[in-house]
Amino acid sequence: HVQLVESGGGSVQAGGSLKLSCEMSGYTYTGKPCMGWFRQAPGKEREEVAEIRAGGAARYLVDSVKGRFTISRDNAKNTMTLQMDNLKPEDTGMYYCAADHKPRSNCPSPADFGYWGQGTQVTVS
């Protein structure tokens, strides 16, 4: 039973920083899955912010976070982080950690991530 648990959300002023963490447990494959961070702002659809493959290759899918957010992972600890700097009010939302349901060479499409965390709230004012 795979579980993803996020932590690190909170309220900050514009220009501030937050670091989100995601801890994965119960993943039984030998290889590691692609993992990603998604967010959903009030009244908007969920969007994928960034993803990182097992080997560490990262991709940012929202132009406005490039240069401000950094995704990373520690495969030995089964954790993933999202360092968010120079936060803006438009970054406000619920942030979710997600993982592919099996190891594969590329990340899945956003709709095909198989495992999800409960989310952590980020509020920027």
Side-chain angles (χ1 to χ4, degrees), residues 15-26:
S17 297
L18 284 173
K19 185 175 184 178
L20 305 184
S21 296
C22 172
E23 184 171 358
M24 181 174 66
S25 61

Side-chain angles (χ1 to χ4, degrees), residues 78-119:
N78 285 326
T79 58
M80 175 180 65
T81 62
L82 185 68
Q83 176 67 44
M84 304 186 294
D85 298 317
N86 190 22
L87 282 160
K88 303 177 180 181
E90 51 263 42
D91 295 318
T92 293
M94 187 70 78
Y95 282 69
Y96 298 91
C97 164
D100 196 358
H101 66 278
K102 63 180 181 180
R104 40 187 168 181
S105 57
N106 294 315
C107 289
S109 61
D112 289 338
F113 279 80
Y115 302 109
W116 294 85
Q118 293 299 306

Side-chain angles (χ1 to χ4, degrees), residues 5 16 18 26 28-29 34 39-40 46 49 61 63 73-74 79 85 88 92 94-95 102 104 106 115 118 121 124:
V5 179
L18 284 173
T28 59
Y29 285 97
C34 171
R39 69 184 181 187
Q40 186 166 19
R46 186 172 60 192
V49 176
L61 292 92
D63 286 343
R73 67 189 295 165
D74 184 333
T79 58
D85 298 317
K88 303 177 180 181
T92 293
M94 187 70 78
Y95 282 69
K102 63 180 181 180
R104 40 187 168 181
N106 294 315
Y115 302 109
Q118 293 299 306
Q121 178 68 35
V124 185

Side-chain angles (χ1 to χ4, degrees), residues 28-52:
T28 59
Y29 285 97
T30 301
K32 302 298 182 181
C34 171
M35 298 182 73
W37 286 101
F38 291 70
R39 69 184 181 187
Q40 186 166 19
K44 295 187 177 181
E45 292 189 353
R46 186 172 60 192
E47 63 177 352
E48 185 177 9
V49 176
E51 63 188 21
I52 185 165

